[in-house]
Amino acid sequence: MGDRPPGPERTRPRFRASSRAVSILAERLTAQLLAGSPANDPVAVAERLLAIQAQDMRGARLAVRARSDGLSAADVDKALTEDRSLLVTWL
């Protein structure tokens, strides 16, 4: 395959993030509930994020569950249907 060395001889480009970049990344992940303390329920996730992309409901459920602790897809569905504490809308 051309002039690329095979296998272990190939080296990866090195990326060294500054401490400022790491700090900014940590703050962004925490603000999005992807690091730090997770939310306890679907409403807490929506309150923190303000909105969740929901063209694909499976993706929306996953986005909520990734930012919470111990929630199932059924918990998100319950917030949308029985509790009516979340809603799906569009702009």
Side-chain angles (χ1 to χ4, degrees), residues 3-69:
D3 57 335
R4 293 175 78 185
E9 294 84 26
R10 192 174 359 169
T11 59
R12 292 180 116 171
R14 297 188 194 277
F15 175 74
R16 176 172 273 158
S18 70
S19 62
R20 179 165 158 50
V22 170
S23 175
I24 290 170
L25 178 60
E27 287 179 30
R28 292 180 70 185
L29 291 172
T30 301
Q32 291 287 317
L33 289 173
L34 294 170
S37 299
N40 295 324
D41 58 52
V43 174
V45 174
E47 287 174 344
R48 180 70 169 265
L49 299 180
L50 183 63
I52 299 158
Q53 189 80 13
Q55 277 86 358
D56 174 26
M57 283 308 298
R58 292 177 300 173
R61 285 184 199 100
L62 181 59
V64 170
R65 292 176 60 211
R67 291 164 168 87
S68 58
D69 191 26

